[in-house]
Amino acid sequence: MKAVLALENGIIFRGNSFGALRETVGEVVFNTGMTGYQELLTDPSYYGQIVTMTYPLIGNYGINTEDLESLNPKVRGFVVRELCKAPSNWRSTRTLDDYLKEHDIVGIEGIDTRALTKTIRDNGTLRGIIAPLEGFDFDKIYPAFAEFSVTDAVANVTTASVKHFPGNGPRIAVIDYGIKTNILRSLLNRDCEIYLYPAFSTAAEVLSCNPAGILLSNGPGDPKDCQPAIQTLRDLYGRKPIFGICLGHQLLALAKAADTGRLKYGHRGCNHPVKDLKKDLTYITSQNHGYSILHESLSGKPIEITHINLNDNSIEGVRYLDAPVFSVQFHPEAAPGPKDTAYLFDEFMAML
Amino acid sequence: MPKNPLIKKTLVIGSGPIIIGQAAEFDYAGTQACRALKEEGIEVVLLNSNPATIMIDTRIADKIYIEPMTVKVLEKIIIKERPDSILPTLGGQTGLNLAMELAESGFLDQHHVTMLGANIDAIKKAEDRQTFKDTMESINEPCIKSKVVGLVEDALEFAEEIGYPVIVRPAYTLGGSGGGIAETREQLIEIATTGLRLSRVTQALIEKCISGWKEIEYEVVRDGKGNVITICNMENIDPVGVHTGDSIVVAPSQTLSDKEYQMLRSAALNIITAMGIEGGCNVQFALHTESMEYAVIEVNPRVSRSSALASKATGYPIAKVSAKIAIGYSLDEITNAVTGKTYACFEPSLDYVVVKLPKFPFDKFVSARRTLGTQMQATGEVMAISNSFSSALLKAVRSLEINMHSLEKVIYSDMTDEQLHDKLKTPHDELLFALTAALRRGMDIELLHNTTKVDRYFLSQLKTIVATEEWLKTTSFDSIDDERLREIKQLGFPDKIIGELTGNSEDYISASRKARGIRAVYKMVDTCAAEFEAQTPYFYSTYDEHCEANPKPGKKVIVFGSGPIRIGQGIEFDFCSVHCIWALKELGYQTIIINNNPETVSTDFDTADRLYFEPLTPEDVESIIDIEQPDGVFVQFGGQTAIKLANFMKQRGIKVYGTQPDDIEAAEDRELFEKILEKLNILRPAGKTFTKITDGIRLANELGYPVIIRPSFVLGGQGMEIAYTDEDLDKFFDIISLIKQDYPILIDKYLPGKELEVDAICDGESILVPGIMEHIERAGVHSGDSISVYPTQSVSIEVKQKIYSITRKLAKELNIVGLINIQFVYYDDEVYIIEANPRSSRTVPYISKVTGIPMIELATKVCMGHKLSEFSYGTGLYPEPDYVSVKVPVFSFEKLHGVDTALGPEMKSTGEALGIGKNFPEALFKGLLGAGMKVPDIDKGILMTVKDSDKPELVAIAEGYQELGYKLFATTKTAGRLNRRLVPTIPVRKISEAHPNILDLIESGDIGMIINTPSRGRQPLNDGFQIRRKAVELSLTCLTSLDTARVLLYCLQNRMLNKSLPIYDLAELMNVEE
Ligand SMILES: Nc1ncnc2c1ncn2[C@@H]1O[C@H](COP(=O)(O)OP(=O)(O)O)[C@@H](O)[C@H]1O
Ligand SMILES: Nc1ncnc2c1ncn2[C@@H]1O[C@H](COP(=O)(O)OP(=O)(O)O)[C@@H](O)[C@H]1O
Ligand SMILES: [Mg+2]
Ligand SMILES: [Mg+2]
């Protein structure tokens, strides 16, 4: 079936539909990872987004039952250059196409993803619609762009209730803004006991398990949309050691009166070099974010930059000088991507 | 960490002659590294014995030594030049091994020379099989069950313990030399014996065979601070068991999930960190196909063939970055040359797929065993980039120049199912075509996977191509709609094949396609998948709508490269292409190169102003011309690959600089050429053309035996032979008809005279002949395989004058503008012409270097309208210097099974070394040493067995060796003859006779050299052949021409053995002349 991807600026790409056949609207972003599509699809941080893979051959190793970062795919749509119809990998249980159909996720293939990526790079993130070609009329669908906005993203992906994962080591309270499973696995592998809290829990609720430390997870959207969560962090600050990842990192900064802003087209991929300023070593990191902490907003505050992005100098990690609190913008839990910064979990453990 | 200020003068070791397993990639790496050092103000001293390299150039290095690559020479250079440091990691295994020896002997410490790029410990950890295993164990990285042995007995014992098959992997060797898989005890004895002998430290690993696993490589770069990154990973389509150099390789991996990818990536980083390697290196893994189990195969603690491939595949200049790291910089201080904005400390992200195909020499070596194993046999490789696997693969196939443009090869289609199935059981050079033939007749993917262990993903990709080929066969072209046609082009189908399969001409398809607006567009290789804006003008074609090429206005010229390295067309032509580009840049032209060889300098992204990494077929280059609209193109510097395009350029009305297509044809077409010679009164050996064997025999008798025969228009000069009798001719005809000869056969009178060769530059009016070269081996040994001497040593002024005047007349008549290469034979006081090549030749880099005449620069400039008189080199025959340069061929016979080492009219050498000296014996001896010849010690024996016609000539040679103190051995008849002539010789029994016979003697170790001249014909099973192969196995010198034996004797008589040979800085030597 023919389909189109229409961008709000009027640029239209033609391709073929796969996965669910219907209309979908979302923010079009690109990811430069060459592997890891299954992890991406199920990463809750992509909630509300249509994800384009810059690597052209997608679906080659199929879908397995293990590499899920949440129970089901969270993307609004998936754009690839060439979908593999006959995947091959010993763990694969089905094709990408079947998987997306099963979960009612719209996909489009056969488009010039490099041209699309350049469009996003040059214009900044754009809204887009994937729709069947038949009966497609740009003017008719145009209002859909305006109507589209991602609201309550975090509310839509956070856990509904408190969850407990037993372990023999330190007890960690994890606030779930849309957590990737591998963050939990990273803690469980270090023998932690985990209490997982919904995003909008109060400080008292989070502290009720008497945790040794608190971990703030990744999650979708603009951090400023999460005011109640920011308030909770203000209350928690200084009470326990805290480690924030991605959205957690941004929310913490907002809680401490720093500011965040939107990046032109975000960082999404597995190859971003981040320098750990203390170690004076650069690590290749897994990233997925559209917002970041603003440099100016840190001045005069007891916040120290610990990590910077070597490509664009953006802030990748900070340490709070008046409390045992630190956070990073990238994903030390990897999945997908390099595991080079897993040492941060160990640093967190050492703080407890 | 900024640059280490203590480094001011560095000695860089090149990799020497091109051999299988060590090709142009080290010229590329070395050139990049030298430049990176010079950029930092470091004085670069370079040692390389290979005259064809681009790195040997005063633009690249400050001091150049073209000397044998030996420890002694290095020591002399260090004493003379006093460098503070040495960089050994860019010269392949040769460079690394030499540096290790210098370090271990304490010489480097004594002379305060620091080893850059790697320390001894790091190299040992990687190269010494035992230390490597221990290191891996200490960091919990799995290796395959194995044991390091120094004795064959221990190998056997361990094999019993773990069970056969086992694999033997010698330490410190290259391209898997001496290794192999042993299925049985007998095989193990054989392989382990050779393997141990070839290892520098008599050490080999005996390992459980895990053939069939996936082979995955990671290219890693680490700096002194400890930053460590991977540049890319590569998946071998051929499973473990086939050397990566012989495998079809795809980058990035296609069938690994992120978990697998990251598991191996992390392992690679751990390993490199544990070893403490600084700079680029390569880690090879075996990955189980049905679990997460993996094992480390090996680590190369230096840049390698794979890193050249990875550099070209990603745009990341590994060698350059390695050099910067070697002098102290860290990755976060080096800028990414491609984006110009970001840093070298990042991992490239590809938004395309890259396929590498190996180029095998089996078209030359028809009798060679074609199965692939753990020892590399490819001479070169091609790479292709596209955004679909199928298109990248098809581009790579056409880049190979094996006359294949689709995946359908007739000999496989013609096989029975059984024959075909047989062809699938063992890996061989054409497995790809066997697989597609199997898929074509509906063989199941599962079955094919089980038989070949090629991943199902790749098989199903092949199936798509096959299905499309089959569909086209039943489709009328005009009924294909635009969308489907675009899809087919996106799959990588060339117009030629679409035409053939649908019954149309290529031109028709091309015109119709273009009329429908379906044209190639070009995408950029930018290291970052378009995330950042990039500056690199490095492109590949796709069939999308958006084109990124944005041609720049202004004067511009396209230079066609020379494709993959193969016997007969090697690195020399890359030298020519690169120098042409440099000259054009100097003239103010925008330069564009098209080439597909990832090992070369010409495909470095900053050599030309723009690089198109594409096949060199008419369609592929035309698409680029359509976009770029150049002022003209160069066809004379890229070997046969480029010159083949001349006619097409003419048809399309595209300007060719230099000699015109019609004149090129006149030189290449036998009939036209003969007419010209007749007109000019130039002699050529009498010759005829025939198609029927009966005519052949009649003509041969008319001409008089011996005759030289060859099929016309075969690729690679294949199948040239000297026939002495009707019987020989018969046999030759049998072989020729096996390879489907539709063309006539050429037959010439064989003139066993002195072969001479010239390269000349002509501007249409005047001519400059930089030099006349004299060949040591008489005509009948291919010019590329003979020792070539400049200036000539035994040619009279009259003959040289004659050669000059023929060259001038012929160049004029052929309207040569640019270069021409002519080969002559001087016989019975007459000069005959063998052939004229209206293009640059193999010897141009050599002659340019030893005369100091920048031949390519001059040739390029005259092609662009300048006159020779504008330059300072004059015209006519250039005066000869009084130092001597000798080019000695280098072979890779130990890598190829079943290849006859006897020299003949068909070229067999893969590379060359140059010897420079103040006199002939000195230069010659250095050349021989540089080429790796093992000269026998006086206490060794020399074994002689020569064909009857050589026996009279042998006497004097034998006597000479005998007088020097060598003990002589010969087969009964030869020995009798020598003894009768009072040359004491010990008779030996033939192979067919009782033990101890000749083979036993050779194996005994008493023999230091063999002189064996072949008794004609391609008879792989005769005694001579067995003796020659035995010599290869034992790494014994075996001379197959009396001419070589004679000049070696001359060297020895001049006391070259054990003499301390002086070293010369080339520039110094030349300046003294002036
Ligand atoms: N245990 C093994 N079983 C089967 N094949 C092997 C094994 N170890 C290595 N090989 C094969 O042999 C090839 C050459 O071995 P390697 O040690 O990499 O030699 P080289 O130094 O020549 O690259 C590898 O590319 C791999 O395909
Ligand atoms: N008529 C001949 N007599 C003697 N040797 C010949 C003759 N023709 C060719 N040869 C030998 O064969 C070699 C290859 O022939 P050539 O025509 O130069 O082919 P190629 O194109 O492969 O260089 C020459 O270098 C020469 O040694
Ligand atoms: Mg190897
Ligand atoms: Mg020739």
Side-chain angles (χ1 to χ4, degrees):
Chain A
M1 258 303 221
K2 300 273 156 230
V4 294
L5 165 66
L7 301 178
E8 60 182 305
N9 64 0
I11 295 180
I12 294 172
F13 293 87
R14 284 154 153 265
N16 298 307
S17 149
F18 73 104
L21 182 63
R22 59 179 173 79
E23 206 175 286
T24 189
V25 53
E27 208 177 80
V28 184
V29 297
F30 63 86
N31 184 300
T32 60
M34 296 180 284
T35 52
Y37 54 83
Q38 183 171 346
E39 288 89 336
L40 291 184
L41 289 169
T42 53
D43 176 352
S45 298
Y46 284 108
Y47 180 84
Q49 294 177 332
I50 292 176
V51 180
T52 305
M53 299 303 291
T54 58
Y55 188 67
L57 313 178
I58 299 295
N60 298 1
Y61 54 85
I63 295 285
N64 62 53
T65 52
E66 293 165 5
D67 301 345
L68 300 165
E69 285 304 310
S70 67
L71 282 178
N72 41 47
K74 297 290 186 295
V75 302
R76 279 287 170 102
F78 200 44
V79 182
V80 303
R81 155 103 217 163
E82 183 181 322
L83 170 78
C84 178
K85 289 167 186 96
S88 165
N89 186 283
W90 61 282
R91 293 192 301 157
S92 168
T93 54
R94 66 207 121 150
T95 66
L96 172 59
D97 185 24
D98 288 345
Y99 178 67
L100 292 192
K101 281 202 168 77
E102 203 174 296
H103 291 279
D104 193 35
I105 303 285
V106 175
I108 183 168
E109 64 137 349
I111 71 168
D112 186 342
T113 44
R114 186 171 163 90
L116 173 59
T117 301
K118 285 176 75 178
T119 310
I120 299 170
R121 178 188 82 196
D122 296 341
N123 294 271
T125 308
L126 293 162
R127 282 167 288 192
I129 289 174
I130 304 175
L133 174 66
E134 212 180 281
F136 175 80
D137 180 342
F138 189 78
D139 295 333
K140 261 204 210 121
I141 58 137
Y142 193 75
F145 288 119
E147 282 159 27
F148 170 77
S149 76
V150 185
T151 46
D152 302 332
V154 169
N156 273 298
V157 292
T158 184
T159 176
S161 57
V162 182
K163 288 195 175 121
H164 177 232
F165 302 87
N168 301 317
R171 179 178 299 159
I172 311 291
V174 176
I175 306 184
D176 173 9
Y177 304 119
I179 195 165
K180 282 167 67 189
T181 312
N182 222 40
I183 295 181
L184 295 176
R185 281 191 213 110
S186 301
L187 293 175
L188 292 172
N189 287 342
R190 286 171 177 77
D191 238 7
C192 295
E193 179 188 1
I194 298 174
Y195 279 89
L196 183 72
Y197 290 98
F200 301 109
S201 305
T202 62
E205 282 164 343
V206 174
L207 291 173
S208 66
C209 71
N210 191 27
I214 301 169
L215 186 143
L216 312 177
S217 86
N218 64 301
D222 184 343
K224 290 179 184 164
D225 291 346
C226 303
Q227 289 307 328
I230 295 169
Q231 185 51 50
T232 299
L233 295 184
R234 256 181 227 127
D235 299 341
L236 286 172
Y237 190 85
R239 308 280 294 269
K240 297 285 174 188
I242 302 179
F243 176 26
I245 295 175
C246 199
L247 183 65
H249 155 89
Q250 295 162 3
L251 293 172
L252 253 179
L254 292 173
K256 296 309 288 177
D259 198 9
T260 56
R262 196 185 169 102
L263 295 166
K264 189 170 177 194
Y265 49 87
H267 295 156
R268 293 175 189 86
C270 303
N271 69 339
H272 293 84
V274 166
K275 191 171 198 164
D276 180 325
L277 297 171
K278 198 167 75 226
K279 292 193 160 144
D280 192 24
L281 282 178
T282 302
Y283 296 94
I284 305 302
T285 63
S286 172
Q287 303 220 355
N288 170 18
H289 63 110
Y291 295 84
S292 74
I293 300 180
L294 300 174
H295 274 278
E296 323 77 77
S297 75
L298 293 184
S299 75
K301 300 197 178 66
I303 305 176
E304 179 187 76
I305 299 177
T306 55
H307 293 78
I308 54 143
N309 187 309
L310 208 56
N311 285 341
D312 63 4
N313 219 29
S314 61
I315 296 175
E316 292 284 357
V318 294
R319 196 167 65 90
Y320 293 77
L321 301 174
D322 54 353
V325 175
F326 75 106
S327 64
V328 291
Q329 181 61 71
F330 53 89
H331 291 264
E333 79 283 6
K339 301 183 272 191
D340 305 6
T341 47
Y343 71 90
L344 290 168
F345 287 103
D346 298 322
E347 289 188 358
F348 179 47
M349 293 294 111
M351 270 170 85
L352 305 179
Chain B
M1 265 185 302
K3 185 194 142 201
N4 177 350
L6 297 176
I7 302 170
K8 298 206 168 67
K9 186 170 184 179
T10 301
L11 171 59
V12 175
I13 316 182
S15 68
I18 304 288
I19 47 175
I20 288 177
Q22 196 161 276
E25 64 268 20
F26 297 106
D27 190 27
Y28 158 63
T31 302
Q32 222 181 49
C34 290
R35 279 187 168 161
L37 297 180
K38 279 192 83 159
E39 229 172 69
E40 300 291 336
I42 294 172
E43 191 181 347
V44 177
V45 181
L46 175 67
L47 168 65
N48 197 344
S49 58
N50 184 346
T53 52
I54 294 159
M55 67 192 313
I56 298 191
D57 191 301
T58 43
R59 271 166 279 207
I60 308 292
D62 298 291
K63 287 269 175 69
I64 292 162
Y65 289 89
I66 309 182
E67 295 287 338
M69 314 261 312
T70 63
V71 171
K72 275 190 199 155
V73 167
L74 268 175
E75 287 178 353
K76 280 184 190 154
I77 296 177
I78 288 173
I79 289 168
K80 183 171 165 205
E81 293 288 345
R82 305 228 147 269
D84 49 51
S85 47
I86 182 168
L87 182 60
T89 46
L90 293 145
Q93 196 68 39
T94 309
L96 202 58
N97 284 358
L98 284 171
M100 281 300 280
E101 281 185 49
L102 278 183
E104 279 172 357
S105 72
F107 187 89
L108 291 185
D109 283 345
Q110 261 169 42
H111 292 81
H112 313 289
V113 180
T114 324
M115 185 125 117
L116 301 179
N119 54 47
I120 303 186
D121 277 354
I123 298 178
K124 270 204 186 137
K125 276 184 191 157
E127 295 279 336
D128 186 284
R129 300 291 190 191
Q130 187 64 52
T131 335
F132 180 70
K133 277 186 63 180
D134 296 345
T135 314
M136 290 306 105
E137 242 159 60
S138 73
I139 55 167
N140 286 321
E141 288 296 344
C143 286
I144 309 150
K145 203 170 159 68
S146 65
K147 186 174 181 177
V148 175
V149 301
L151 294 171
V152 178
E153 295 76 66
D154 295 349
L156 292 170
E157 193 179 306
F158 184 66
E160 296 303 327
E161 190 187 314
I162 56 168
Y164 289 94
V166 297
I167 167 163
V168 181
R169 297 164 65 205
Y172 290 97
T173 63
L174 153 101
S177 310
I181 294 170
E183 308 270 352
T184 62
R185 192 185 156 84
E186 286 63 44
Q187 283 177 357
L188 181 57
I189 295 176
E190 193 190 315
I191 299 173
T193 311
T194 329
L196 287 171
R197 203 190 54 249
L198 289 179
S199 162
R200 184 169 81 76
V201 290
T202 325
Q203 198 194 67
L205 196 69
I206 306 301
E207 190 169 271
K208 181 88 200 134
C209 176
I210 53 163
S211 294
W213 291 31
K214 287 184 188 179
E215 188 155 1
I216 312 285
E217 296 174 80
Y218 279 76
E219 289 302 314
V220 184
V221 176
R222 181 174 174 275
D223 67 18
K225 249 195 212 171
N227 290 314
V228 54
I229 56 171
T230 59
I231 304 309
C232 81
N233 83 340
M234 293 177 263
E235 176 170 7
N236 290 11
I237 294 183
D238 298 84
V240 171
V242 174
H243 195 280
T244 53
D246 285 356
S247 293
I248 302 180
V249 173
V250 45
S253 60
Q254 298 303 320
T255 69
L256 267 53
S257 67
D258 189 63
K259 292 285 175 294
E260 290 155 323
Y261 183 104
Q262 301 300 342
M263 172 179 77
L264 296 181
R265 179 185 171 280
S266 296
L269 300 193
N270 281 344
I271 291 166
I272 298 317
T273 305
M275 297 190 145
I277 294 168
E278 291 170 24
C281 57
N282 152 276
V283 188
Q284 283 160 243
F285 294 104
L287 175 65
H288 194 265
T289 53
E290 244 128 69
S291 74
M292 286 289 184
E293 195 184 344
Y294 70 91
V296 186
I297 296 179
E298 75 154 349
V299 171
N300 288 307
R302 51 169 172 86
V303 301
S304 60
R305 179 188 53 263
S306 300
S307 35
L309 180 63
S311 294
K312 300 295 164 66
T314 60
Y316 190 102
I318 296 175
K320 177 176 178 171
V321 170
S322 297
K324 298 270 182 195
I325 289 173
I327 54 171
Y329 286 106
S330 56
L331 282 165
D332 53 356
E333 292 168 342
I334 305 166
T335 41
N336 175 349
V338 169
T339 59
K341 293 185 184 119
T342 51
Y343 286 92
C345 197
F346 79 108
E347 300 197 342
S349 179
L350 279 54
D351 57 1
Y352 47 81
V353 51
V354 171
V355 172
K356 172 215 101 175
L357 291 183
K359 171 86 180 170
F360 292 104
F362 301 126
D363 49 348
K364 284 266 178 191
F365 299 130
V366 269
S367 67
R369 194 178 80 191
R370 298 175 79 138
T371 53
L372 304 181
T374 59
Q375 188 165 319
M376 183 169 164
Q377 297 176 82
T379 55
E381 59 193 34
V382 296
M383 182 183 106
I385 313 175
S386 192
N387 52 12
S388 73
F389 172 79
S390 116
S391 152
L393 178 74
L394 288 172
K395 279 190 193 180
V397 167
R398 359 191 234 282
S399 299
L400 274 181
E401 294 176 62
I402 49 174
N403 230 352
M404 291 292 296
H405 296 257
S406 72
L407 297 185
E408 181 163 23
K409 184 150 184 165
V410 184
I411 60 161
Y412 295 100
S413 321
D414 287 352
M415 283 179 183
T416 64
D417 281 3
E418 240 159 50
Q419 283 171 325
L420 189 56
H421 202 249
D422 249 16
K423 274 284 174 199
L424 295 166
K425 275 194 213 135
T426 22
H428 58 98
D429 63 316
E430 292 188 335
L431 188 65
L432 180 62
F433 302 126
L435 279 171
T436 47
L439 287 164
R440 203 175 302 275
R441 47 184 93 168
M443 282 193 201
D444 184 38
I445 285 191
E446 217 41 47
L447 173 84
L448 293 176
H449 168 69
N450 290 333
T451 325
T452 62
K453 293 292 177 231
V454 171
D455 195 279
R456 298 170 186 88
Y457 171 80
F458 300 112
L459 294 172
S460 76
Q461 291 283 323
L462 295 182
K463 196 172 165 180
T464 306
I465 299 175
V466 169
T468 310
E469 284 174 1
E470 292 304 307
W471 181 81
L472 282 170
K473 285 180 190 169
T474 59
T475 305
S476 121
F477 176 74
D478 295 319
S479 73
I480 302 175
D481 67 21
D482 293 2
E483 203 179 312
R484 179 72 181 136
L485 184 58
R486 185 179 288 277
E487 267 171 33
I488 292 167
K489 292 304 284 182
Q490 281 175 343
L491 280 172
F493 278 65
D495 292 343
K496 179 180 165 73
I497 293 302
I498 301 175
E500 271 170 27
L501 298 178
T502 58
N504 293 284
S505 72
E506 178 176 356
D507 282 349
Y508 177 77
I509 306 290
S510 168
S512 154
R513 169 174 68 75
K514 288 180 183 174
R516 300 198 211 173
I518 301 171
R519 286 166 180 272
V521 298
Y522 294 85
K523 301 282 186 190
M524 199 186 263
V525 171
D526 62 6
T527 72
C528 61
E531 184 173 1
F532 306 101
E533 219 173 298
Q535 316 295 329
T536 42
Y538 173 6
F539 301 103
Y540 62 93
S541 68
T542 73
Y543 274 84
D544 291 302
E545 275 152 45
H546 302 266
C547 187
E548 298 176 17
N550 300 332
K552 293 208 185 96
K555 297 188 294 180
K556 58 175 121 163
V557 175
I558 294 185
V559 176
F560 298 138
S562 56
I565 301 240
R566 64 207 92 161
I567 291 175
Q569 187 166 308
I571 184 178
E572 302 85 6
F573 297 95
D574 204 58
F575 171 97
C576 298
S577 308
V578 168
H579 278 259
C580 170
I581 288 164
W582 288 348
L584 287 168
K585 277 185 167 176
E586 203 186 296
L587 292 177
Y589 285 88
Q590 209 190 115
T591 54
I592 298 165
I593 177 101
I594 309 176
N595 202 359
N596 49 47
N597 183 343
E599 308 174 317
T600 55
V601 178
S602 68
T603 52
D604 204 352
F605 65 83
D606 58 3
T607 294
D609 295 313
R610 285 178 164 236
L611 161 64
Y612 284 86
F613 216 103
E614 289 285 307
L616 285 154
T617 70
E619 177 185 341
D620 293 291
V621 304
E622 188 182 26
S623 299
I624 297 166
I625 291 170
D626 284 347
I627 296 259
E628 286 286 352
Q629 297 292 324
D631 295 333
V633 301
F634 266 95
V635 300
Q636 61 171 265
F637 297 119
Q640 217 48 42
T641 305
I643 210 142
K644 267 190 325 208
L645 291 165
N647 232 339
F648 180 72
M649 294 299 122
K650 180 182 138 191
Q651 278 169 33
R652 289 292 193 269
I654 295 155
K655 180 170 176 55
V656 171
Y657 290 110
T659 311
Q660 288 307 295
D662 283 339
D663 296 313
I664 292 173
E665 200 181 336
E668 296 207 318
D669 181 287
R670 182 154 157 135
E671 258 172 57
L672 295 176
F673 189 56
E674 256 167 23
K675 275 197 195 112
I676 289 174
L677 293 184
E678 230 162 82
K679 176 174 153 200
L680 299 178
N681 258 322
I682 302 173
L683 292 176
R684 68 170 303 278
K688 297 267 157 45
T689 307
F690 69 93
T691 39
K692 283 208 303 270
I693 181 73
T694 42
D695 292 343
I697 288 182
R698 182 179 47 78
L699 289 170
N701 285 295
E702 268 172 42
L703 289 169
Y705 284 104
V707 293
I708 196 156
I709 28 184
R710 68 180 110 181
S712 61
F713 298 103
V714 226
L715 272 157
Q718 171 186 313
M720 208 160 159
E721 203 64 79
I722 300 172
Y724 293 83
T725 59
D726 291 354
E727 209 189 334
D728 289 349
L729 210 57
D730 257 340
K731 258 189 215 130
F732 171 80
F733 207 75
D734 286 349
I735 294 172
I736 286 301
S737 27
L738 276 185
I739 47 177
K740 271 215 160 146
Q741 234 332 285
D742 301 326
Y743 294 107
I745 290 170
L746 314 178
I747 180 164
D748 289 325
K749 173 97 187 121
Y750 169 54
L751 305 176
K754 178 176 292 297
E755 192 159 345
L756 298 153
E757 184 164 359
V758 294
D759 286 297
I761 309 161
C762 193
D763 61 11
E765 290 154 21
S766 357
I767 189 165
L768 170 61
V769 176
I772 298 176
M773 293 158 269
E774 171 181 0
H775 292 190
I776 295 294
E777 287 80 5
R778 72 201 72 177
V781 169
H782 193 278
S783 52
D785 285 352
S786 9
I787 298 175
S788 163
V789 187
Y790 170 78
T792 58
Q793 299 296 306
S794 64
V795 181
S796 68
I797 294 181
E798 293 72 42
V799 172
K800 282 194 246 191
Q801 277 307 333
K802 178 107 206 214
I803 284 182
Y804 170 71
S805 95
I806 295 177
T807 304
R808 195 173 46 90
K809 269 198 289 188
L810 190 58
K812 259 208 130 120
E813 183 65 28
L814 285 171
N815 302 310
I816 295 291
V817 177
L819 287 171
I820 183 168
N821 163 272
I822 310 177
Q823 288 146 39
F824 301 92
V825 54
Y826 174 60
Y827 183 70
D828 255 359
D829 270 343
E830 293 286 1
V831 175
Y832 299 82
I833 199 162
I834 298 177
E835 68 162 348
N837 296 309
R839 54 166 170 82
S840 74
S841 78
R842 200 176 302 114
T843 43
V844 164
Y846 153 48
I847 285 298
S848 301
K849 277 160 195 163
V850 302
T851 58
I853 298 176
M855 292 174 65
I856 302 291
E857 183 187 325
L858 296 189
T860 304
K861 288 181 177 169
V862 301
C863 290
M864 301 313 288
H866 291 266
K867 292 288 166 207
L868 282 169
S869 54
E870 296 169 39
F871 308 102
S872 58
Y873 302 93
T875 54
L877 187 54
Y878 196 67
E880 292 177 349
D882 53 15
Y883 55 89
V884 183
S885 311
V886 178
K887 190 192 88 167
V888 180
V890 174
F891 303 85
S892 301
F893 291 135
E894 65 283 1
K895 304 285 164 50
L896 301 161
H897 289 264
V899 170
D900 194 344
T901 67
L903 301 184
E906 218 182 283
M907 184 166 163
K908 295 179 174 176
S909 60
T910 51
E912 62 207 28
L914 189 67
I916 299 176
K918 288 256 161 82
N919 53 53
F920 175 51
E922 183 181 293
L924 175 61
F925 201 67
K926 281 165 96 176
L928 294 173
L929 291 182
M933 177 186 278
K934 288 197 184 131
V935 181
D937 286 327
I938 300 283
D939 59 351
K940 291 280 179 187
I942 293 178
L943 172 67
M944 296 168 298
T945 128
V946 301
K947 64 176 173 223
D948 290 345
S949 54
D950 278 347
K951 282 184 177 133
E953 246 182 273
L954 178 68
V955 180
I957 296 170
E959 190 174 11
Y961 280 105
Q962 196 265 331
E963 275 171 2
L964 287 173
Y966 289 99
K967 220 193 252 174
L968 302 185
F969 297 84
T971 37
T972 329
K973 244 166 82 191
T974 314
R977 182 169 192 132
L978 289 170
N979 282 318
R980 274 198 301 282
R981 302 290 297 270
L982 303 179
V983 185
T985 308
I986 305 164
V988 215
R989 292 199 195 105
K990 288 200 167 150
I991 297 181
S992 54
E993 294 168 10
H995 294 280
N997 63 26
I998 195 163
L999 286 184
D1000 300 310
L1001 176 71
I1002 297 173
E1003 275 177 358
S1004 71
D1006 293 341
I1007 297 296
M1009 181 168 84
I1010 299 172
I1011 299 172
N1012 170 275
T1013 61
S1015 43
R1016 78 197 62 153
R1018 288 170 192 269
Q1019 300 166 282
L1021 291 173
N1022 66 20
D1023 278 20
F1025 177 80
Q1026 285 188 56
I1027 290 168
R1028 293 190 288 275
R1029 281 314 302 186
K1030 194 55 147 193
V1032 172
E1033 266 169 47
L1034 299 173
S1035 326
L1036 264 183
T1037 301
C1038 177
L1039 309 179
T1040 65
S1041 158
L1042 289 188
D1043 300 318
T1044 328
R1046 190 181 296 109
V1047 292
L1048 175 62
L1049 174 63
Y1050 180 61
C1051 285
L1052 296 173
Q1053 284 168 336
N1054 280 278
R1055 298 203 173 64
M1056 287 297 152
L1057 193 60
N1058 302 325
K1059 185 177 166 187
S1060 170
L1061 299 163
I1063 53 164
Y1064 304 110
D1065 162 357
L1066 193 57
E1068 242 172 68
L1069 202 61
M1070 279 179 190
N1071 286 338
V1072 171
E1073 293 316 306
E1074 278 162 16

